[in-house]
Amino acid sequence: MNGALAIIADIHGNRWALDAVLEDIHRRGIPNLVNLGDHFYGPLDPGATAERLLQLPALATIRGNQDRQLIEPLPANPNPTHLYTLAELDSPALDWIRTQPPASSLGPILLCHGSPSSDVEYLLENVTPEGVRPRIPDPLQTLATTILCGHTHIPRLVQSGPQIFVNPGSVGLPAYSDDLPYPHRMETGSPHARYAILDGDRVEHIALAYDFRAAAAAARRNLRPDWACALENGQADPL
């Protein structure tokens, strides 16, 4: 691989944010791109997001946990956002997800969504009854010197022994709440679209302004005011 590498993750159907990120990557002349998963799931614009991603020449694309959910059998009581996302995607988009591995390597770079062993594991955070705490993982048993991960939507850069761990943050959803393993919130505190650049030994996290109000309006039309709040404020709960 020659040249800098743009790292994107967790788009969640936010084509407004994705357009801003891809424009910035093009403006900077970054020749390479990897995508760490969770492309479409959400009450925004999964169909248009699929149109963009299926034409995008990425060096590697990873399947995220909510990509996996879209190609698994429907649960007994699927939530409306799951059904909306499936209704907006055509067969080529779902087939594209099926081709993606849960992890991949590019020379000394290891790519995963959550962790190399689980697409729902937080690699750089601990969730406790008292809240979320950053953590430094033990070095992984791999020849890779750089580990790229997503899933938590929080930009992070961590050094552990000879390895660095990079989470680029989320392109399309700057905050969310979850109940497992304990109720917790992941929040960046701003509505910006985020990605990261890896260029040799340099890592740069990028936060971009974009038309988040259009994305929030789509969330409200699709009966997800919680997503609208996250998109407008970078916070998981209403102000």
Side-chain angles (χ1 to χ4, degrees):
M1 183 184 69
N2 296 316
L5 178 67
I7 310 158
I8 65 174
D10 296 288
I11 302 163
H12 285 284
N14 189 338
R15 57 98 169 165
W16 299 271
L18 177 62
D19 285 347
V21 166
L22 294 180
E23 181 180 348
D24 193 67
I25 290 169
H26 177 74
R27 180 184 64 80
R28 293 171 184 264
I30 300 172
N32 306 300
L33 181 141
V34 295
N35 183 349
L36 305 181
D38 276 6
H39 317 293
F40 308 131
Y41 190 104
L44 304 178
D45 196 350
T49 301
E51 290 176 5
R52 288 152 173 76
L53 289 183
L54 267 63
Q55 302 300 319
L56 192 64
L59 286 177
T61 301
I62 299 301
R63 183 177 67 234
N65 62 301
Q66 291 196 304
D67 299 318
R68 170 175 52 78
Q69 291 169 10
L70 292 174
I71 58 175
E72 291 178 336
L74 276 173
N77 295 298
N79 70 60
T81 297
H82 192 150
L83 296 175
Y84 168 78
T85 305
L86 286 173
E88 291 291 306
L89 297 176
D90 57 16
S91 294
L94 295 173
D95 289 341
W96 181 75
I97 293 174
R98 292 186 180 96
T99 68
Q100 297 163 5
S104 184
S105 295
L106 292 172
I109 303 173
L110 175 65
L111 299 85
C112 56
H113 181 70
S115 77
S117 59
S118 169
D119 60 15
V120 295
E121 180 181 3
Y122 288 6
L123 190 56
L124 304 180
E125 290 85 10
N126 285 325
V127 179
T128 73
E130 290 74 39
V132 180
R133 302 288 184 270
R135 77 181 181 100
I136 299 176
D138 294 331
L140 301 182
Q141 297 301 309
T142 173
L143 295 177
T145 56
T146 302
I147 293 86
L148 308 181
C149 62
H151 186 48
T152 67
H153 300 203
I154 304 298
R156 295 288 308 281
L157 173 62
V158 173
Q159 179 87 38
S160 179
Q163 297 171 337
I164 63 167
F165 296 75
V166 180
N167 187 324
S170 172
V171 169
L173 185 62
Y176 68 89
S177 60
D178 199 355
D179 293 331
L180 297 174
Y182 305 99
H184 64 280
R185 298 181 298 179
M186 305 300 283
E187 301 172 313
T188 61
S190 83
H192 293 73
R194 297 174 188 269
Y195 77 103
I197 300 169
L198 177 64
D199 190 0
D201 293 332
R202 183 176 69 90
V203 175
E204 183 178 2
H205 282 99
I206 308 295
L208 293 174
Y210 77 101
D211 189 4
F212 62 84
R213 292 180 180 85
R220 287 195 172 91
R221 286 195 301 271
N222 291 305
L223 306 180
R224 291 301 301 265
D226 54 331
W227 277 61
C229 175
L231 291 161
E232 291 170 337
N233 304 303
Q235 297 178 355
D237 292 334
L239 294 176

